């Protein structure tokens, strides 16, 4: 492997440190999921509507501010915006930690969510990595989020036993402050800060993204997936305690084997879908499995053995869909609007968390837990219909290459020549960014021809 084919120490340090910031922040959100409803009910005297709103309100402020924070980082600097967002997250955590009233806890959670630094972090990562390695760096962040979620379900009950939910909130506030120190002393400063169309949203492309029916199907999917997830955590912890007569401090013993088994079962399905170009079939099957689990949960919520089987099936489908959706976004989104598509997708995810928490709490309080799962079944059922009608995603992957900065006419000509090569499904050259974005066939493409054209263009720029 040549030096250009592997991540440099600088890039690896950047990716690992920024992934750790993502992980610390998501830890603060996920740790309370399996235990918050107990705390809200017994310590804050809150009803289920209030508890669900406290869980979900984080997503509302995050959905509203993700794109503005990313755009602000272009103007005022990546690290300044990240410091500000982490400070807000810490403030909200400390407010929730000292709260003895559910309304103040809801305020703290809303402030936590307003520290919406995701777009700024990915923009900084793009500044710090070469185009050829950006996908790998982004995958490291994605993997960190998945691992953090699994660890949180297992560790949350243990932390609840040791330090309680106020302690968890205080700990996450301290972690946010430590993350600020990581940004200051560990994350490198970018040599150049610029806009990256592959990772950042631009208002000019929003209309195109919102008109794309295939992307709308995926956006509704991530919305429904996370709405169902948040609604589930309003009622499942109580159901596990009631049906299994297991104290909430020991719920980790339930979540640990479920999460391990779900990951083991998920991986072969993803490999099969990607290798055999059956991603749509795997995707639709996972949605169908989730719908079945929601329907059965509505009727078997008091049967402990059934609950364990259904939760395992739920997390198999959840983890599979959570891993597949970003891949589908990358395959379907226009190469020139990928960053905008991801921004809209992330906002839909956060809004789903809000609606799921709020509706789950209200339905649980007024109609019982079965109503929550029927609501989730409705969302997942609509998604299943929409997904079954989606076009088969192209068997492509995205590759980025550094080129010299050039005028629009030159960029268009280079894009035309690249698109004419074998296996190149789409080519966009963004001259002002000095990047070529290609969608190439997974079954084989003329990589040598692409590299030859790009090298010729670089040499032409040097000779001018």
């Amino acid at each position: 492997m040549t030096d250009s084919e592997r991540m440099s120490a600088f890039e690896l340090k950047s990716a690992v440190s920024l992934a750790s910031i993502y992980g610390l922040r998501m830890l603060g959100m996920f740790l309370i999921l399996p235990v918050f409803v107990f705390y809200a009910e017994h310590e804050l005297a809150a009803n289920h509507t209030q508890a669900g709103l406290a869980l979900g309100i984080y997503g509302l402020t995050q959905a509203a501010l993700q794109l503005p924070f990313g755009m602000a980082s272009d103007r005022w600097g990546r690290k300044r915006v990240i410091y500000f967002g982490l400070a807000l997250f810490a403030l909200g955590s400390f407010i929730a930690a000292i709260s003895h009233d559910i309304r103040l806890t809801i305020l703290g959670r809303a402030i936590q969510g307003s520290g919406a630094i995701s777009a700024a972090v990915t923009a900084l990562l793009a500044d710090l990595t070469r185009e050829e390695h950006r996908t790998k760096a982004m995958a490291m962040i994605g993997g960190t989020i998945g691992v953090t979620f699994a660890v949180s379900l297992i560790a949350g009950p243990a932390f609840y036993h040791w330090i309680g939910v106020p302690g968890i909130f205080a700990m996450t506030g301290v972690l946010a402050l430590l993350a600020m120190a990581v940004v200051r002393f560990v994350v490198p400063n970018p040599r150049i800060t610029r806009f990256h169309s592959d990772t950042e949203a631009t208002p000019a492309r929003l209309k195109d993204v919102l008109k794309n029916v295939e992307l709308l199907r995926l956006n509704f999917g991530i919305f429904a997936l996370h709405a169902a997830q948040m609604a589930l955590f309003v009622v499942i912890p109580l159901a596990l305690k009631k049906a299994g007569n297991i104290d909430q401090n020991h719920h980790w013993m339930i979540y640990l084997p479920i999460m391990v088994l779900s990951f083991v079962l998920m991986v072969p399905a993803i490999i099969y879908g990607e290798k055999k170009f059956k991603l749509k079939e795997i995707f639709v099957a996972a949605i169908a499995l989730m719908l079945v689990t929601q329907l059965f949960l509505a009727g078997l919520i008091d049967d402990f053995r059934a609950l364990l089987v259904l939760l395992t099936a739920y997390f198999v489908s959840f983890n599979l869909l959570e891993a597949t959706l970003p891949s589908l976004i990358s395959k379907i989104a226009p190469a020139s609007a990928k960053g905008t598509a991801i921004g809209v997708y992330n906002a839909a995810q956060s809004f789903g968390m809000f609606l799921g928490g709020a509706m789950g709490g209200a339905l649980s309080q007024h109609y019982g837990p079965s109503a929550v799962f029927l609501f989730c079944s409705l969302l997942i059922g609509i998604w299943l219909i929409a997904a079954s009608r989606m076009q088969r995603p192209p068997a492509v992957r995205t590759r980025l290459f550094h080129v010299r900065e050039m005028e629009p006419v030159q960029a268009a000509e280079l894009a035309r020549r690249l698109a004419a090569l074998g296996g190149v499904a789409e080519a966009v050259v963004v001259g002002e960014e000095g990047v070529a974005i290609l969608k190439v066939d997974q079954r084989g493409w003329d990589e040598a021809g692409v590299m030859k054209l790009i090298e010729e263009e670089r040499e032409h720029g040097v000779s001018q």
Side-chain angles (χ1 to χ4, degrees):
M1 183 181 289
T2 65
D3 290 340
S4 63
E5 292 174 325
R6 63 166 65 95
M7 295 181 74
S8 67
F10 178 87
E11 290 172 316
L12 192 59
K13 177 183 178 182
S14 301
V16 170
S17 57
L18 288 172
S20 71
I21 291 168
Y22 247 100
L24 289 174
R25 182 170 165 274
M26 300 310 290
L27 194 68
M29 187 184 77
F30 293 147
L31 272 175
I32 67 166
L33 284 182
V35 295
F36 183 78
V37 67
F38 299 116
Y39 168 71
E41 192 175 76
H42 297 296
E43 302 297 328
L44 301 179
N47 57 42
H48 283 196
T49 300
Q50 293 168 323
L53 183 59
L55 278 176
I57 193 69
Y58 179 105
L60 181 62
T61 49
Q62 185 167 255
L65 294 172
Q66 275 184 12
L67 295 181
F69 267 49
M71 295 173 186
S73 74
D74 290 327
R75 181 171 182 179
W76 289 302
R78 314 293 192 208
K79 287 195 172 184
R80 287 181 182 177
V81 170
I82 294 171
Y83 288 140
F84 181 64
L86 288 172
L88 284 174
F89 184 84
L91 175 63
S93 300
F94 292 133
I95 288 174
I98 65 171
S99 170
H100 298 289
D101 181 89
I102 188 63
R103 288 167 293 186
L104 189 59
T105 304
I106 291 171
L107 174 63
R109 288 283 290 167
I111 295 173
Q112 274 189 321
S114 67
I117 60 170
S118 301
V121 170
T122 54
L124 178 56
L125 185 61
D127 287 335
L128 294 170
T129 53
R130 288 170 290 172
E131 291 82 358
E132 293 85 348
H133 302 297
R134 197 166 296 155
T135 301
K136 286 183 283 186
M138 294 298 179
M140 292 175 67
I141 287 180
T144 299
I145 295 172
V147 171
T148 301
F149 175 69
V151 169
S152 296
L153 291 188
I154 299 161
F159 279 112
Y160 181 65
H161 177 64
W162 295 330
I163 59 178
V165 169
I168 293 175
F169 279 129
M171 180 182 70
T172 57
V174 171
L175 289 175
L177 298 178
L178 291 175
M180 294 173 71
V182 172
V183 175
R184 173 66 179 85
F185 298 108
V186 181
V187 178
N189 292 314
R191 300 183 180 97
I192 300 175
T193 295
R194 69 195 317 167
F195 179 83
H196 304 276
S197 56
D198 60 303
T199 59
E200 297 182 70
T202 175
R205 299 311 303 268
L206 273 174
K207 185 178 180 181
D208 294 336
V209 168
L210 294 174
K211 287 170 58 179
N212 188 311
V213 175
E214 297 305 314
L215 289 178
L216 287 176
R217 297 181 201 273
L218 300 180
N219 291 334
F220 180 80
I222 195 66
F223 163 83
L225 182 67
H226 281 266
Q229 179 206 44
M230 197 59 71
L232 179 141
F233 280 106
V234 175
V235 295
I236 282 296
L238 294 171
L240 287 172
K241 184 177 182 180
K242 179 183 176 183
N245 196 28
I246 299 176
D247 183 80
Q248 59 265 27
N249 298 326
H250 298 96
H251 281 189
W252 66 269
M253 294 188 294
I254 298 172
Y255 292 122
L256 176 59
I258 285 176
M259 294 307 296
V260 171
L261 183 58
S262 66
F263 275 114
V264 169
L265 294 175
M266 172 196 73
V267 172
I270 291 179
I271 294 174
Y272 175 81
E274 289 284 358
K275 295 290 186 182
K276 301 296 184 180
F277 312 112
K278 298 287 187 180
L279 204 55
K280 179 182 176 180
E281 288 81 356
I282 295 295
F283 182 65
V284 173
I287 300 172
L289 176 61
M290 178 165 284
L291 176 59
V292 170
T293 63
Q294 297 290 341
L295 290 170
F296 274 97
L297 281 168
L300 299 172
I301 189 67
D302 295 322
D303 185 324
F304 183 64
R305 292 183 179 178
L307 196 54
L308 295 181
V309 173
L310 291 170
L311 279 179
T312 302
Y314 168 81
F315 279 110
V316 170
S317 60
F318 177 85
N319 291 330
L320 185 55
L321 292 166
E322 185 82 347
T324 305
L325 276 162
S327 175
L328 290 171
I329 285 282
S330 180
K331 293 177 187 298
I332 292 172
S336 58
K338 182 183 174 185
T340 305
I342 292 173
V344 173
Y345 169 88
N346 288 336
Q349 173 180 320
S350 296
F351 188 69
M353 292 162 55
F354 163 68
L355 185 70
M359 286 295 295
L363 289 170
S364 177
Q365 179 181 342
H366 296 292
Y367 302 104
S370 293
V372 176
F373 295 113
L374 291 176
F375 165 71
C376 294
S377 298
L378 176 62
L379 286 178
I380 303 302
I382 295 171
W383 183 18
L384 179 60
I385 294 171
S388 64
R389 297 178 179 177
M390 70 184 285
Q391 296 179 8
R392 184 175 297 278
V396 296
R397 65 180 186 272
T398 301
R399 291 291 303 269
L400 278 69
F401 298 93
H402 175 71
V403 298
R404 66 183 179 87
E405 294 185 21
M406 61 187 74
E407 296 298 322
V409 173
Q410 296 171 309
E413 174 59 20
L414 178 57
R416 184 192 65 78
R417 295 173 66 193
L418 288 168
L421 295 173
V424 178
E426 183 182 358
V428 173
V429 177
V430 188
E432 62 269 27
E433 298 177 30
V435 60
I437 308 171
L438 275 61
K439 288 189 177 182
V440 300
D441 197 320
Q442 291 177 214
R443 290 161 289 197
W445 55 289
D446 188 1
E447 184 173 5
V450 168
M451 297 306 299
K452 181 180 178 182
L453 266 181
I454 289 175
E455 191 59 36
E456 287 175 355
E457 189 59 40
R458 289 173 182 165
E459 292 175 356
H460 177 68
V462 171
S463 64
Q464 286 184 329

